Amino acid sequence: MSYEMIALMMFSSLLLLLLTGQRVFGVVGFVGAMASLFLWGDGGAEMPFNASIVLLNWFPLLTLPLFIFMGYMLSESGIANDLYKMLHVWMGPLNGGLAIGTVVLMVAISAMNGLSVAGMAIGTSIALPEMLKRGYDKRMVTGVIQAGSSLGIMVPPSIVLVLYGMIARQPVSQLWLAGVLPGLLFAGMFVGYIVIRCFLQKDLGPALTVEERQEISNREKYRLLRAGILPLAIVFTVTGLFMMGVTSLVESSAVGAAAATLAAVAKRRLTFKVLDNALHKTLSVSCMFMWIILAALCFGAVFDGLGAVHAIKVLFLDQWGLSPWGVLIMMQITYIIMGMFLDDTAMLVIVAPLYIPLIISLGFNPVWYGVLYTVTCQIAYMTPPFGYNLFLMKAMAPKEVTLVDIYRSIVPFVILMIIGLGLVMAFPQIALYLPELYYGN
């Protein structure tokens, strides 16, 4: 059997087993382990075993539970809520001001936790009821929350970029820097859209009334400003110390976890229930990531031993006649299709063993490609009919928000993100400028 046919059978088996509803890490690890046994016999059993040893020797893996704990501690203790209260007071007088503040909130919360789902959960529980109560259009509101939360996986300290860096063997510091300008670009496009849309149709995002503004004293405004800046200061401190070389990546994550805990203590919000919830959620998510990475290493080891990357390259370039850019565009399309059914980590695990070595062999920058991957994941999350975020929003939103409303709400934001993706692809320096400036070429 040819290498191309073996690779095709592995991916076909993978997709078929995923349709059964089994957990992603179980499917990926099973296919990788069974393929190694069929290809190399009893000795092939050493391949997944060695992958587990590699995982346990990965010192940077400590960053995952620490960053995740930081986010959950800020969330469970209510410190993240203070941020929205600040944005509510300071942005409320503008038409669409609460929606603009929500974009900032979603990016900040998702960045703290490294997961877009965290931003979605807080947005639907805090921002959504508040904006609906103040007469905001429900389609505008749901679209803003979904789009804003998706940006969190690009802003440092992003767990998704840490995971990509581990699997792709790329420096996390450069990936974090590469995500900054694209993240700001997308956030700016969203804010610009909200401002223009609410200026033209003021009923979509009415400003706070004069009476509501007068009810809040200047003293209260500045108190909320201090309280809201605290979680942002923690995030920027963690990232800043790492970028300045004061701390390593693992040390930065420890600083973030400690700072979030001390902040909860200082505000007298560190109760047993808060600590218990934060630890349980951290353990659950961290174990999921560890199993996924282990499965990815096993699957990738089989592909490396098989030489399938070279075979796929020959198939795309020699037999199909695609240009390197044609291959890149096809990869992005497959991400969008897969993203309708899977989350970002699952997609990365499935295609990383194939796509990342191919990207490097085609002469593309793997750090830049990491940004393209995250942007495409964001688009895939919100693409009807089966986008991951669409059904999360439906599960969390009140009953008056229908699935049709959610589908329609996301259309302008998906268009904006496709335009942004095109800009990052056409002008790679949007992503590479900061890494090259900080680390050199």
Side-chain angles (χ1 to χ4, degrees), residues 7-22 27-28 31 299 334 337-338 341-342 346-347 350-351:
L8 183 60
M9 287 187 64
M10 287 182 65
F11 271 98
S12 300
S13 302
L14 192 66
L15 296 175
L16 184 62
L17 288 174
L18 285 173
L19 293 176
T20 65
Q22 296 298 319
V27 171
V28 175
V31 173
F299 196 82
T334 60
I337 295 173
M338 293 176 64
F341 308 96
L342 303 170
M347 286 190 286
I350 292 170
V351 299

Side-chain angles (χ1 to χ4, degrees), residues 55-281:
L55 176 65
L56 295 175
N57 285 332
W58 262 358
F59 190 63
L61 197 66
L62 288 171
T63 59
L64 292 178
L66 289 171
F67 277 137
I68 293 168
F69 175 80
M70 178 186 78
Y72 278 123
M73 178 56 71
L74 293 173
S75 173
E76 294 294 325
S77 63
I79 295 175
N81 297 7
D82 295 338
L83 178 60
Y84 185 71
K85 291 177 183 176
M86 179 197 76
L87 295 169
H88 174 261
V89 170
W90 284 86
M91 303 295 293
L94 300 174
N95 285 313
L98 292 183
I100 296 171
T102 300
V103 171
V104 178
L105 174 73
M106 295 297 94
V107 173
I109 298 301
S110 298
M112 292 173 197
N113 197 275
L115 305 168
S116 63
V117 177
M120 285 269 293
I122 293 176
T124 50
S125 61
I126 300 174
L128 181 59
E130 192 68 32
M131 287 192 282
L132 290 176
K133 183 175 71 175
R134 299 188 180 280
Y136 273 63
D137 180 74
K138 60 183 179 180
R139 292 177 183 170
M140 167 73 78
V141 170
T142 53
V144 165
I145 291 173
Q146 291 180 86
S149 65
S150 71
L151 294 181
I153 63 174
M154 293 185 65
V155 181
S158 166
I159 296 296
V160 173
L161 287 177
V162 172
L163 189 61
Y164 174 88
M166 290 179 176
I167 294 177
R169 303 293 199 276
Q170 298 301 316
V172 174
S173 56
Q174 293 190 32
L175 289 166
W176 277 1
L177 284 174
V180 171
L181 291 184
L184 294 176
L185 170 66
F186 280 84
M189 293 172 71
F190 292 164
V191 169
Y193 167 75
I194 294 168
V195 170
I196 295 172
R197 187 81 189 275
C198 290
F199 176 78
L200 298 175
Q201 295 176 274
K202 292 182 172 56
D203 58 313
L204 294 181
L208 293 180
T209 63
V210 176
E211 291 78 12
E212 288 174 317
R213 295 179 224 170
Q214 291 175 347
E215 289 177 0
I216 306 171
S217 64
N218 287 333
R219 182 177 180 180
E220 178 67 9
K221 286 183 179 180
Y222 288 109
R223 187 193 70 79
L224 288 173
L225 183 62
R226 291 194 302 272
I229 285 178
L230 177 61
L232 293 179
I234 292 174
V235 173
F236 286 122
T237 299
V238 170
T239 308
L241 289 174
F242 176 59
M243 294 303 176
M244 290 187 296
V246 177
T247 59
S248 66
L249 180 62
V250 176
E251 291 167 345
S252 294
S253 63
V255 168
T261 306
L262 291 175
V265 171
K267 288 182 169 289
R268 298 180 180 178
R269 297 179 184 177
L270 186 60
T271 64
F272 177 79
K273 182 179 180 181
V274 167
L275 183 60
D276 184 62
N277 288 341
L279 288 173
H280 270 86
K281 292 181 179 180

